[in-house]
Amino acid sequence: MRTSADPVRPGSGAGWIEPRPWRVAVARRETTDVVTLGLTPPEPFEFEPGQFNMLYQPGIGEVPISISGEPTSNSKILHTIRDVGPVTRALCALRPGQQVGVRGPYGTSWPVAAAEGGDLLIIAGGIGLPPLRPALYQALGNRDRFGRVVLLYGARTPADLLFTRELSTWRGRFDLDVQVTVDTATRDWRGDVGVVPNLIPNARFDPATATAFVVGPEIMMRFTVRALLAAGLTDDQVYLSMERNMQCAEALCGHCQLGPFLVCRDGPVFSYPKLAPWLNIREV
């Protein structure tokens, strides 16, 4: 059964501050501005779903990027990156055989084990799907330990949807409920149109046993939490990832301060009761 539990913090794991060179094995374009890099670590590497690495490009800088691949695979560590600035643009331009500096893993993880015995809701908006994908992999790898597993995912347009081949595969599974929506449809779109919280009333789950993991823009997460509470979940059944403004991953620079928390030190995964007093305060 699901038990009330804070997200797990396995620790920084790698134990170094200086980035180490990892080789790019795969560079796959997901959309016009999103690329997934498969990086080969120089030594065995383990992480928990929800954790992130710091990726470094010499002479440009470094950014925190969630790990988006299988937790049980350490041959290629996946990072899905949106081009939003100089560092991410340089990372998105990398090709197989080139190198990138990496340090990590850092941060708290999704409490997947605590959700066992009940239903699991994975709710993502836009680039919020990559940090949730390892949790979904872990749940599907231990499918008999969960009730219903539901993925609710939304993007701005059909062209902005990530992992489209994988979405098709997931939709074909009898043991996984996948619902996808877009804000703005094209003529050939046959799915739902609207925001992600609108999918919740039609999703099948038991609110008494369900656990929800949510990542997306903050306005999307606020309205998603409201919809989940209206559907019967309690606030301690909801977990959010606040991957915003992180820069150093060492709780030194203060850029990711959120009320009393430093997201890189205390998060990025938080139980909703911890965030509730701060999530709705503008500019905190």
Side-chain angles (χ1 to χ4, degrees), residues 30-31 33-36 65-66 68 79-84 92 123-133 153-156 160-163 215-217 220 241 243:
E30 306 287 352
T31 69
D33 62 350
V34 177
V35 170
T36 293
I65 302 292
S66 290
S68 62
H79 300 77
T80 301
I81 305 161
R82 171 169 284 165
D83 178 354
V84 293
C92 288
I123 306 175
I127 199 69
L129 183 56
L132 283 165
R133 191 162 65 149
Y153 172 45
R156 290 173 296 179
D160 294 307
L161 291 170
L162 302 175
F163 316 131
V215 187
M220 167 262 180
S241 182
E243 299 181 359

Side-chain angles (χ1 to χ4, degrees), residues 57 60 83 85-94:
Q57 279 294 85
I60 303 176
D83 178 354
V87 184
T88 52
R89 186 168 302 119
L91 292 170
C92 288
L94 290 171

Side-chain angles (χ1 to χ4, degrees), residues 74-109:
N74 60 16
S75 58
K76 295 183 182 65
I77 308 301
L78 302 184
H79 300 77
T80 301
I81 305 161
R82 171 169 284 165
D83 178 354
V84 293
V87 184
T88 52
R89 186 168 302 119
L91 292 170
C92 288
L94 290 171
R95 295 293 177 264
Q98 294 183 294
Q99 291 188 333
V100 58
V102 180
R103 59 186 177 96
Y106 294 99
T108 51
S109 63

Side-chain angles (χ1 to χ4, degrees), residues 167-183:
L167 283 172
S168 297
T169 300
W170 288 337
R171 276 178 156 171
R173 293 182 61 128
F174 69 90
D175 59 352
L176 175 63
D177 178 13
V178 178
Q179 298 185 38
V180 179
T181 187
V182 296
D183 295 339

